[in-house]
Amino acid sequence: AEFAGMIPVTGSAYTYGYAVLGELAAWLIGWDLLLEYALIVAVVAIGWSGYVQSALTGMGIPIPVWAQGAMGTGDGHVFNVIASLVTLGVAALLTFRTEWGARFNTLVVAIKVAAVVLVIGIGAFYVKPGNWVPFIPARAMGADGAMHFGFQGVAAAAAVVFFAVFGYDTLTTAAEESKNPQRDLPRAVLLSLGISMAMYLAVSLVLTGIAHYTTLNTAAPVADAFKGLGLHWVALTVSVAAVFGLISVLFAFMLGATRIWFALSRDGLLPGWFAKVHPRYGTPHRPTVVLGVFTALVAGLLPIEEVAKLVNIGVLSAFIVICTSVMILRKRKPELHRAFRTPWVPLVPLVGVAFSIWLLAELPAITWKVFLIWVSLGLVIYLTYGMRHSRLERGP
């Protein structure tokens, strides 16, 4: 929020890192976020597909078994067609006009919020406090041979699903497309985070109160929980609302990924061909199309568990950089105007760094392996192309 009000430029953490820590650090942040945002689009698309299939089944419209999921996710599954199609659809929407997508996004957010209120309002009457006991189940060996539950399980789960709560970060990736970013972006960041967290906690309490946690590991857990209560109309309503609501998440992260790619290309760190906007629609259509195809393939070919393990590490690393940069810039440039000032500096940034490091330590080994491979590839690209073509190297 502090940086968004001070540096209202497309690119989010990449741009903030560039301003404070220099080009190499900024490149690594932007390169990591590019992959992370794209993978989040794929994860959410796969989850979205589960709710679409639940809604279609509830309406008596099943889809072919081969098209229901990626190989290994069920008997006869070959390719998740619905997950793949929705990513291509969102990419098309972002290619034609951002404001069209923004208006559609406003509508689906309204639908999503209404569904959340419905879940909380009706589910609260069916909560059985006994389902919350124990509130944190004791550690136990799972069928996969790994330890589950306990407070360590809470931390590991928080690390894996962290992407579910940082949508506020994507707001800052499109700062240049905001009418009054210095005033509006800090407000939007803080309000969206506060409201989302309150609703997230309320739904989690209601959901685990109306259904035992052991029954919630399904493709559409909220809908299935209400089916278990015999409230099929609520289950269908939630599934339909989720179908619309999750599109807003796809829209936000696809937008974020394309704007980061655009910023990297505009600064010369990636080919400038990608920074050319569409002559009619004024959108960075080239990175949008490439990301649309990439996320469609990932969503169609991989199971959600495997993709989810790969996200978050780049974003958590970026948050460490942001928190550190806030402290550095307060020392270097205390006189700069800040539309929003982070309170209790350096305490708050240090707490942010500590929690980010803690969550990073809880991520599975495969996440770190993929991350190191991606970072190594990024360093090669920077040393062979970006360093020689960057705007900083070329000068004004």
Side-chain angles (χ1 to χ4, degrees), residues 119-131:
V119 167
I120 298 169
I122 294 179
F125 291 99
Y126 293 87
V127 166
K128 296 177 182 177
N131 285 331

Side-chain angles (χ1 to χ4, degrees), residues 285-359:
H285 58 295
R286 290 167 177 167
T288 304
V289 170
V290 174
L291 284 167
V293 173
F294 172 75
T295 54
L297 291 173
V298 173
L301 294 170
L302 297 177
I304 191 169
E305 295 84 359
E306 298 305 316
V307 183
K309 289 177 183 177
L310 303 179
V311 303
N312 300 322
I313 190 168
V315 179
L316 285 166
S317 301
F319 284 176
I320 292 174
V321 170
I322 291 173
C323 290
T324 304
S325 297
V326 166
M327 294 186 289
I328 292 174
L329 206 58
R330 286 286 186 93
K331 287 286 186 181
R332 286 184 185 171
K333 302 283 186 178
E335 75 284 356
L336 286 178
H337 172 70
R338 292 166 171 84
F340 170 81
R341 294 179 66 88
T342 303
W344 306 310
V345 173
L347 177 61
V348 169
L350 287 173
V351 169
V353 169
F355 272 102
S356 296
I357 292 173
W358 179 36
L359 290 176

Side-chain angles (χ1 to χ4, degrees), residues 63-81:
I63 65 172
V65 173
W66 68 268
Q68 292 180 9
M71 285 186 181
T73 59
D75 291 337
H77 290 183
V78 177
F79 190 82
N80 196 326
V81 172

Side-chain angles (χ1 to χ4, degrees), residues 38-396:
L39 290 176
I40 290 167
V41 171
V43 170
V44 176
I46 299 169
W48 184 85
S49 175
Y51 276 100
V52 170
Q53 293 181 44
S54 177
L56 291 175
T57 301
M59 293 184 287
I61 312 174
I63 65 172
V65 173
W66 68 268
Q68 292 180 9
M71 285 186 181
T73 59
D75 291 337
H77 290 183
V78 177
F79 190 82
N80 196 326
V81 172
I82 294 177
S84 184
L85 287 177
V86 72
T87 61
L88 293 174
V90 170
L93 194 63
L94 285 172
T95 297
F96 291 130
R97 281 192 87 83
T98 302
E99 59 265 35
W100 291 357
R103 290 170 189 159
F104 176 73
N105 195 46
T106 300
L107 173 62
V108 297
V109 167
I111 294 172
K112 180 166 59 176
V113 170
V116 170
V117 172
L118 177 70
V119 167
I120 298 169
I122 294 179
F125 291 99
Y126 293 87
V127 166
K128 296 177 182 177
N131 285 331
W132 293 333
V133 181
F135 196 72
I136 300 179
R139 290 186 68 191
M141 184 72 73
D144 57 358
M147 295 300 295
H148 294 267
F149 309 121
F151 193 74
Q152 185 175 356
V154 173
V160 172
V161 302
F162 187 70
F163 68 88
V165 295
F166 66 71
Y168 59 87
D169 176 62
T170 63
L171 294 168
T172 61
T173 63
E176 293 173 31
E177 294 161 83
S178 173
K179 290 182 180 178
N180 191 346
Q182 290 181 308
R183 182 198 67 187
D184 295 339
L185 280 178
R187 293 180 184 178
V189 167
L190 296 170
L191 284 172
S192 65
L193 176 59
I195 294 169
S196 297
M197 285 301 295
M199 299 177 82
Y200 198 111
L201 291 170
V203 169
S204 297
L205 286 170
V206 167
L207 188 58
T208 52
I210 65 176
H212 199 263
Y213 72 90
T214 56
T215 67
L216 296 174
N217 188 19
T218 66
V222 181
D224 291 343
F226 280 97
K227 285 179 184 177
L229 296 174
L231 299 175
H232 293 276
W233 70 271
V234 178
L236 180 58
T237 302
V238 168
S239 293
V240 172
V243 166
F244 285 99
L246 287 177
I247 292 177
S248 68
V249 184
L250 295 170
F251 177 86
F253 283 104
M254 182 77 79
L255 176 71
T258 58
R259 274 30 180 195
I260 288 173
W261 192 331
F262 173 79
L264 289 169
S265 300
R266 186 173 61 180
D267 290 340
L269 299 175
L270 286 174
W273 184 80
F274 291 108
K276 304 292 184 183
V277 298
H278 194 282
R280 178 179 177 185
Y281 301 118
T283 59
H285 58 295
R286 290 167 177 167
T288 304
V289 170
V290 174
L291 284 167
V293 173
F294 172 75
T295 54
L297 291 173
V298 173
L301 294 170
L302 297 177
I304 191 169
E305 295 84 359
E306 298 305 316
V307 183
K309 289 177 183 177
L310 303 179
V311 303
N312 300 322
I313 190 168
V315 179
L316 285 166
S317 301
F319 284 176
I320 292 174
V321 170
I322 291 173
C323 290
T324 304
S325 297
V326 166
M327 294 186 289
I328 292 174
L329 206 58
R330 286 286 186 93
K331 287 286 186 181
R332 286 184 185 171
K333 302 283 186 178
E335 75 284 356
L336 286 178
H337 172 70
R338 292 166 171 84
F340 170 81
R341 294 179 66 88
T342 303
W344 306 310
V345 173
L347 177 61
V348 169
L350 287 173
V351 169
V353 169
F355 272 102
S356 296
I357 292 173
W358 179 36
L359 290 176
L360 283 169
E362 296 295 336
L363 289 169
I366 184 63
T367 307
W368 283 96
K369 291 177 183 178
V370 173
F371 178 69
L372 291 175
I373 292 171
W374 185 253
V375 169
S376 300
L377 178 60
L379 283 172
V380 170
I381 293 174
Y382 178 75
L383 293 173
T384 58
Y385 181 89
M387 190 166 64
R388 293 185 293 108
H389 294 85
S390 73
R391 190 168 60 181
L392 193 65
E393 177 67 22
R394 295 194 310 265

